[in-house]
Amino acid sequence: MNNLLIGLVRALRHHHWLRLLGGAFMLSSVGNGLTQVVVFGQLLRWHASPSALTLAYVLATLPGFFGSFFGEKGCRRVPPLRLLILTELLGMFALILPLLGMFYHNIPAMLAVQSVAAFLAGMSYPALTLTFKQGLSAEELPAATCMETLIFSAQVLLGTGLGVLLFEVFSPLTLLSIDAVSFVAAILLLAATARHIHLRPLQEMDTPPQVAVIRWAGLSILQKRSLLLLPALAAVGSPAMALLPAIAQQIRPGDATGLALPLLFARSLGQLCGPLLLNGERLRHYAKSNRHLLMCLGIFLAAYGALPLLAAEKTTALGLIFVAHLASNVVFALGTFSVLAYFPAQSVSGASAKAWRWQTLTAALATTLAAGLAAQWGATQSLYAVSLTSLAAVALILVRYRQ
């Protein structure tokens, strides 16, 4: 079986620049995950309200909508790796925000760092996608899908894993210092990547040349479906993920931090492992299959729906969240692969930016609705109402744009 991980290992052995790029983002992800632990850990220590905890998730996604515009336009003017280095520099300077939040017990400052991180993630996503499209062959695109999944899941898997272990041992200041060091190391590795990579000129990659502007009316059914997969995942998954700390607070009012942080770790472990189950040679088939996509989203919601009922045992709760994100990140991998596979190089950065914007906007709308209902009905009832409605809407969309 041509497992995605096997394909990634082959690509890493063949491309020195890919190893450098992967190392850079893994290091940066460790630091970002530590900062996320600091933010959520401090909010839980300060007994923030469920709406504030949910708002933290909104602020960790919505600014990516605006960041993707900068990333899309930047890819037309400068090499994508230069843009990635810029995002790492800006991320390092943004660490002053959680410092101010801790020193002055300021919740808005703690939430602001989430906004900056989301903006920079949206800015870097088109550049990262374009780097893979220009640097890898068509046969190696499944490896790029696996790498993107590893990069975005490592932020919480590695960073949160360390953060959960270190949060009660070291001060938040120490954890933020580790984040700063990871940014510096990532910048150095990205600079080395730029020296080793050979990016094929866009004009040589597709015939005839394609315009970079993405217009919905001119897209094929497959391209439209590709752009809709990540927003579909956001509609179903974002309310549940945003409400996770509040659900933990509801389940264990006296020990919310002790439950919420391990649940965040289990979430990212599932995100990491899910795509690795896919067969790289069948990605196109899976991406076109409504049955597979809806089954994964259904498993995700079933696991989250069972969490308030079966979470008396921490091991059970961790297992449910792991299974949920094992399923959800299969959909994420298929969404990222579809954009890479079905758009030409000239328009792939624009397509990925558009998918990112729709994803973040959908996540923000669904999460805001969930936060409002959580204040009235409670976190569990809000989860059932919003996510099940979103799943029904996604099923209709997938049927409308099936190939």
Side-chain angles (χ1 to χ4, degrees):
M1 185 173 85
N2 186 13
N3 184 275
L4 281 186
L5 184 59
I6 296 174
L8 176 60
V9 170
R10 290 172 182 163
L12 289 171
R13 292 176 61 184
H14 185 66
H15 298 288
H16 181 51
W17 68 265
L18 190 61
R19 298 195 295 272
L20 293 171
L21 181 71
F25 275 98
M26 290 298 174
L27 285 171
S28 179
S29 294
V30 169
N32 288 334
L34 289 175
T35 299
Q36 189 177 58
V37 168
V38 170
V39 170
F40 279 101
Q42 287 300 120
L43 291 176
L44 289 168
R45 278 180 173 176
W46 295 342
H47 301 288
S49 66
S51 58
L53 293 171
T54 309
L55 180 61
Y57 186 87
V58 175
L59 294 176
T61 54
L62 183 58
F65 178 89
F66 304 100
S68 66
F69 282 107
F70 285 86
E72 181 181 358
K73 293 183 182 300
C75 286
R76 299 174 187 172
R77 292 172 172 80
V78 299
L81 277 165
R82 191 176 301 174
L83 200 61
L84 293 175
I85 292 173
L86 175 61
T87 61
E88 294 297 313
L89 282 170
L90 294 175
M92 182 173 63
F93 290 129
L95 291 178
I96 191 173
L97 293 171
L99 287 175
L100 293 174
M102 288 186 298
F103 288 147
Y104 296 102
H105 200 292
N106 190 303
I107 289 180
M110 297 296 289
L111 297 177
V113 70
Q114 298 285 89
S115 298
V116 174
F119 180 89
L120 296 177
M123 187 174 170
S124 65
Y125 185 66
L128 184 62
T129 303
L130 181 57
T131 300
F132 287 140
K133 187 73 172 184
Q134 287 185 267
L136 297 173
S137 66
E139 293 75 19
E140 293 170 322
L141 290 182
T145 301
C146 188
M147 176 66 84
E148 284 196 10
T149 304
L150 291 174
I151 286 171
F152 288 104
S153 62
Q155 173 172 336
V156 189
L157 175 65
L158 299 178
T160 302
L162 288 173
V164 169
L165 295 174
L166 302 179
F167 186 71
E168 301 294 343
V169 179
F170 295 102
S171 69
L173 181 61
T174 301
L175 298 181
L176 292 176
S177 299
I178 296 173
D179 192 1
V181 172
S182 73
F183 273 117
V184 173
I187 291 168
L188 294 175
L189 285 174
L190 286 174
T193 303
R195 291 195 300 270
H196 287 85
I197 192 173
H198 173 66
L199 297 178
R200 291 171 289 167
L202 296 180
Q203 293 81 359
E204 297 180 3
M205 297 184 64
D206 299 285
T207 303
Q210 303 287 327
V211 296
V213 178
I214 305 296
R215 300 191 185 281
W216 183 258
L219 299 178
S220 68
I221 292 293
L222 264 180
Q223 288 175 324
K224 291 177 179 179
R225 182 184 174 89
S226 300
L227 292 179
L228 292 171
L229 287 182
L230 292 182
L233 175 61
V236 175
S238 294
M241 290 189 288
L243 290 168
L244 183 58
I247 291 174
Q249 196 176 56
Q250 181 176 302
I251 294 170
R252 291 193 179 183
D255 186 28
T257 304
L259 178 61
L261 295 182
L263 287 178
L264 289 175
F265 176 76
R267 181 182 84 181
S268 292
L269 186 60
Q271 289 173 338
L272 172 67
C273 296
L276 303 184
L277 303 177
L278 291 170
N279 183 337
E281 294 177 348
R282 293 181 58 80
L283 286 184
R284 294 176 188 270
H285 168 71
Y286 295 143
K288 296 177 183 178
S289 171
N290 288 348
R291 181 171 61 88
H292 285 92
L293 293 169
L294 291 174
M295 181 180 67
C296 288
L297 294 175
I299 291 172
F300 172 86
L301 282 187
Y304 263 92
L307 181 62
L309 306 175
L310 303 176
E313 292 291 332
K314 181 183 286 189
T315 302
T316 303
L318 295 175
L320 287 171
I321 295 302
F322 172 78
V323 170
H325 288 278
L326 196 75
S328 71
N329 254 45
V330 169
V331 181
F332 178 82
L334 296 175
T336 56
F337 170 79
S338 295
V339 172
L340 278 169
Y342 297 125
F343 284 89
Q346 282 84 353
S347 56
V348 73
S349 61
S352 61
K354 188 177 290 290
W356 188 274
R357 284 195 291 272
W358 291 357
Q359 177 188 13
T360 54
L361 185 60
T362 303
L365 292 174
T367 303
T368 301
L369 178 60
L373 293 178
Q376 299 295 323
W377 299 349
T380 303
Q381 290 76 11
S382 174
L383 167 64
Y384 295 152
V386 178
S387 291
L388 288 174
T389 302
S390 297
L391 181 61
V394 166
L396 293 176
I397 291 172
L398 290 178
V399 170
R400 167 65 179 83
Y401 291 102
R402 62 184 173 187
Q403 181 67 25

